[in-house]
Amino acid sequence: MTEKSTFYLVKEEILPEAIKKTIKVKEVLKRGEVKTINEAVEKMGLSRSAYYKYKDFVFPFYEASREKIISLSILLEHKAGVLSRVLNTIANDGGSILTINQGIPLQGVANTTLSIETKDLLVDMEALLDKLRMIDGVKRLEVLGQV
């Protein structure tokens, strides 16, 4: 019987340096800045053994969120057009809204939960989240989970 993996979403600042460097090695390799793993680990100041130890277990959030359903909790200011701008931003970047649940505005803000299918996203998930956070009227945005 194969054991099922559990995934965690953690902030970069709590990760050990070897894991952060492993992610950076994978990024420079992906971008083609270096040609070999040896060059990449040397550039990042990481041992080859540490790279091989972690490389199959760490990846940026946007890679883990491809072809998934992401649930977001968003606190929106109660102003005309805010939800519409959020939905248009997601649609313009290729996201498909599966569910929307918005509460009645209280004290000038409304809690909104969205489920987004990410398989056709034109940008990585981190870029989409940054765009959503920059919309005037978005007070808070949190990723609740993914399936």
Side-chain angles (χ1 to χ4, degrees), residues 11-115:
K11 289 197 176 219
E12 180 183 24
E13 47 276 3
I14 70 162
L15 294 174
E17 205 58 37
I19 292 176
K20 290 181 195 178
K21 288 181 178 181
T22 299
I23 293 168
K24 288 178 183 173
V25 166
K26 290 175 71 172
E27 288 173 356
V28 297
L29 285 166
K30 186 175 183 179
R31 287 193 302 264
E33 293 177 19
V34 294
K35 293 184 175 155
T36 67
I37 291 171
N38 281 341
E39 287 178 82
V41 295
E42 189 175 305
K43 181 177 182 173
M44 293 301 148
L46 181 69
S47 71
R48 282 173 41 94
S49 63
Y51 171 75
Y52 284 109
K53 179 178 180 180
Y54 297 121
K55 76 175 183 71
D56 295 327
F57 300 100
V58 296
F59 36 87
F61 173 69
Y62 64 85
E63 283 184 19
S65 63
R66 294 301 291 177
E67 300 193 21
K68 303 278 186 186
I69 296 171
I70 304 292
S71 294
L72 303 176
S73 172
I74 310 173
L75 187 64
L76 301 176
E77 201 173 328
H78 181 56
K79 292 191 312 190
V82 177
L83 179 58
S84 177
R85 286 192 295 278
V86 168
L87 299 178
N88 285 332
T89 300
I90 294 166
N92 290 338
D93 283 343
S96 178
I97 307 287
L98 301 176
T99 64
I100 302 170
N101 184 354
Q102 185 172 26
I104 295 172
L106 299 171
Q107 299 176 345
V109 292
N111 283 306
T112 305
T113 305
L114 299 175
S115 295

